[in-house]
Amino acid sequence: MPHPVLASPDLIRFEGDTPHLVGSRCDECGEVYFPATDSCTRCTATRMSPHDVGHRGTLWSWTIQGFLPKAPYNSGETPETFRPYGVGYVEMESGIKVESRLTVADEALLQIGMPLELTLIPYRTTGEGDESEVFTFAFRPSASA
């Protein structure tokens, strides 16, 4: 089965059907970055390698986005179609914290420390006549929790 069209294909790789976030790791000091970067702010080295950030983490902090984001956000939502959504920092197994959309927007269902897993959600359409969906990454409560 082909993988979906991604809003930022450089941020995601697949292991079978499982998406993983891709960042970079400094070849000199080991500092990990997401998204990937060309140089290290820790030791100033410029030798960076792609790094699998993973697909599981825990909720470190969160909020509910209750208003339509401003440009350059381009999901195609309008003030009439906008629905609040969760946004959180997810601490990955490597220790790096990734800011991400959450699939849950109910504060009663969000708890700091809860296990999460990476998923893909519709973000916008291509706008190329066929209106195919373009996906972005988000985190959802882990099925194994």
Side-chain angles (χ1 to χ4, degrees), residues 68-134:
L68 185 65
K70 296 169 182 55
Y73 184 80
N74 63 348
S75 69
E77 291 171 295
T78 65
E80 295 76 33
T81 62
F82 174 77
R83 298 291 172 262
Y85 57 89
V87 177
Y89 280 103
V90 179
E91 186 169 12
M92 306 302 289
E93 292 177 345
S94 67
I96 191 169
K97 294 172 186 76
V98 173
E99 183 179 0
S100 177
R101 194 162 180 161
L102 305 173
T103 62
V104 175
D106 181 345
E107 61 187 62
L109 300 176
L110 294 169
Q111 182 177 355
I112 291 175
M114 69 187 290
L116 301 172
E117 60 188 30
L118 189 67
T119 190
L120 299 176
I121 59 170
Y123 174 61
R124 59 178 166 83
T125 59
T126 59
E128 297 173 1
D130 65 358
E131 297 302 313
S132 297
E133 287 186 312
V134 176

Side-chain angles (χ1 to χ4, degrees), residues 14-84:
F14 289 88
E15 252 184 45
D17 289 334
T18 304
H20 286 240
L21 293 179
V22 177
S24 59
R25 183 177 181 274
C26 177
D27 291 344
E28 300 299 319
C29 73
E31 190 75 6
V32 175
Y33 293 88
F34 181 82
T37 185
D38 293 330
S39 62
C40 180
T41 58
R42 183 175 179 204
C43 74
T44 71
T46 56
R47 289 188 27 228
M48 307 294 283
S49 296
H51 183 75
D52 183 341
V53 176
H55 69 282
R56 294 185 185 276
T58 58
L59 188 57
W60 188 78
S61 184
W62 60 270
T63 191
I64 304 297
Q65 174 81 21
F67 56 90
L68 185 65
K70 296 169 182 55
Y73 184 80
N74 63 348
S75 69
E77 291 171 295
T78 65
E80 295 76 33
T81 62
F82 174 77
R83 298 291 172 262

